[in-house]
Amino acid sequence: MANLGTSYLGLELDNPFIVGSSSLTRTVEGVVDCAEAGAGAVVLKSMFEEQIRLDYSDTTDALADSMHPEALAYLRADIPTRYGPRDCLEVVKKASDAVSIPIIASVNCTSHHSWIEFAKQLEAAGAAALELNIYVLPTDPEQKSGQVDQIYLDIVSMVTGQVSMPVAVKLAPYITNMTRMGKKLVESGAQGLVLFNRLFSPDIDIEKEEVRGGISLSGPQEHRMALRWVALLSETLGVDICGSRGIHDADAAVKMLLAGATAVQVTSTLMKNKLGHLKTMTTDLAAWMDERGYEEIGTFKGNLTEDPESAELFQRAQYMKAFVGP
Ligand SMILES: Cc1cc2nc3c(=O)[nH]c(=O)nc-3n(C[C@H](O)[C@H](O)[C@H](O)COP(=O)(O)O)c2cc1C
């Protein structure tokens, strides 16, 4: 049978399926279940920068200036079951003793202020790598796109300057020039990119006339946006690219690998189909490789990358063919 092993952020994975950051990976038991179900690695549920700052600061005055009052009230509320930074460190410690697959910690951040010490603690607790989930919502009309980009780069250089574990950046697709951003993130120390995150989007309850939240699951068509950017960036950046978003089966994973990804993250499909779906996906990936005589992922990974220099013209041609017709 084909060897599904792959290397991601310098970590050896038995297969390319990484369970994405979510409630599936919030507890030690959850991580053990993922490992037993056959995950190649897991990304733990994210800690929010605001949670870390609140937990580690003596005073909340500074936080009050930089945080929405609703967020501060939410974080200050004393809810014993809430998963906080200290719980997260416990999960890293215990889970890395309990399973042999790599445990990737995750921080959701929009700045590098006052939380970097926590990254060091994650490393000391046994995290194999750190995933930074960064999304800056640009709402200031005076802020130039370069200034927004710089926030991402400052976070990455600050974190990578403080820890020795590999750091990956999980991006949303809403970046003006993804190719330049990728290059700059790598120059700032990122060892991998996760393309893409699926952002929380607000909704409105029209009966109550109020804003409501909640996370929805992705659909299988959503992988195609990530596919384009994996194909464009995997060869040029020289770091690991992890395909993410809308990967619901082995076929989508194969596409990501052909486009040059070294691993993929799966979340929604596991929530819908349960963890047993990991076995289905690894079996289907192995069957696809066996049929073609591919013994290792490296023999076909990146066979369908795109050259960014000709990509714009290529994409324009495909676009025209699709819309104008034969
Ligand atoms: C219930 C739920 C919770 C999530 N929590 C986090 C989180 O804490 N941190 C994070 O970076 N992503 C989080 N995500 C996003 C997933 O990790 C993933 O990037 C996204 O769902 C796209 O992948 P998918 O199409 O396989 O679901 C969450 C997603 C879901 C559905």
Side-chain angles (χ1 to χ4, degrees), residues 269-288:
T269 194
L270 298 181
M271 292 194 163
K272 273 187 209 158
N273 303 310
K274 308 294 171 213
L275 288 178
H277 192 55
L278 278 167
K279 178 95 179 112
T280 310
M281 290 191 289
T282 46
T283 308
D284 291 352
L285 171 59
W288 182 88

Side-chain angles (χ1 to χ4, degrees), residues 20-23 44-48 106 108 131 133 170 196-198 215-219 222 244-248 265-269 271:
S21 174
S22 63
S23 41
L44 297 183
K45 176 85 186 142
S46 301
M47 250 323 97
F48 275 73
S106 165
N108 181 316
E131 184 176 284
N133 174 345
K170 184 180 188 182
F196 287 114
N197 193 7
R198 192 162 184 274
I215 302 174
S216 58
L217 300 183
S218 68
E222 283 183 44
S244 164
R245 186 164 167 175
I247 300 168
H248 282 230
Q265 287 190 16
V266 281
T267 307
S268 294
T269 194
M271 292 194 163

Side-chain angles (χ1 to χ4, degrees), residues 15-191:
N15 69 70
F17 293 97
I18 301 174
V19 180
S21 174
S22 63
S23 41
L24 294 169
T25 57
R26 182 175 174 272
T27 61
V28 179
E29 297 71 35
V31 172
V32 170
D33 288 347
C34 292
E36 286 176 353
V42 293
V43 184
L44 297 183
K45 176 85 186 142
S46 301
M47 250 323 97
F48 275 73
E49 167 193 333
E50 292 86 338
Q51 286 176 284
I52 303 165
R53 288 166 64 193
L54 191 69
D55 221 50
Y56 284 74
S57 76
D58 297 335
T59 165
T60 54
D61 294 351
L63 283 172
D65 292 340
S66 63
M67 218 188 275
H68 191 282
E70 200 180 325
L72 195 59
Y74 171 76
L75 291 177
R76 273 177 175 157
D78 191 16
I79 301 171
T81 52
R82 185 171 296 151
Y83 172 72
R86 288 161 219 275
D87 306 305
C88 178
L89 289 172
E90 272 301 298
V91 174
V92 173
K93 267 195 206 112
K94 291 187 178 157
S96 31
D97 285 343
V99 301
S100 55
I101 60 171
I103 309 286
I104 303 171
S106 165
V107 173
N108 181 316
C109 54
T110 56
S111 82
H112 55 78
H113 299 299
S114 323
W115 69 264
I116 305 291
E117 187 55 33
F118 182 67
K120 292 197 223 166
Q121 294 181 11
L122 287 168
E123 181 169 36
L130 177 63
E131 184 176 284
L132 297 176
N133 174 345
I134 313 177
Y135 179 60
V136 179
L137 184 69
T139 52
D140 176 358
E142 303 306 324
Q143 193 180 31
K144 297 187 176 131
S145 55
Q147 293 172 307
V148 178
D149 290 359
Q150 194 59 44
I151 298 173
Y152 288 69
L153 305 179
D154 287 347
I155 296 173
V156 173
S157 52
M158 189 63 86
V159 177
T160 54
Q162 295 288 323
V163 297
S164 15
M165 64 182 156
V167 174
V169 183
K170 184 180 188 182
L171 291 172
Y174 313 114
I175 303 276
T176 306
N177 184 346
M178 188 63 75
T179 315
R180 181 174 165 82
M181 178 60 116
K183 177 173 174 271
K184 290 285 173 191
L185 286 169
V186 172
E187 285 170 8
S188 303
Q191 277 149 283

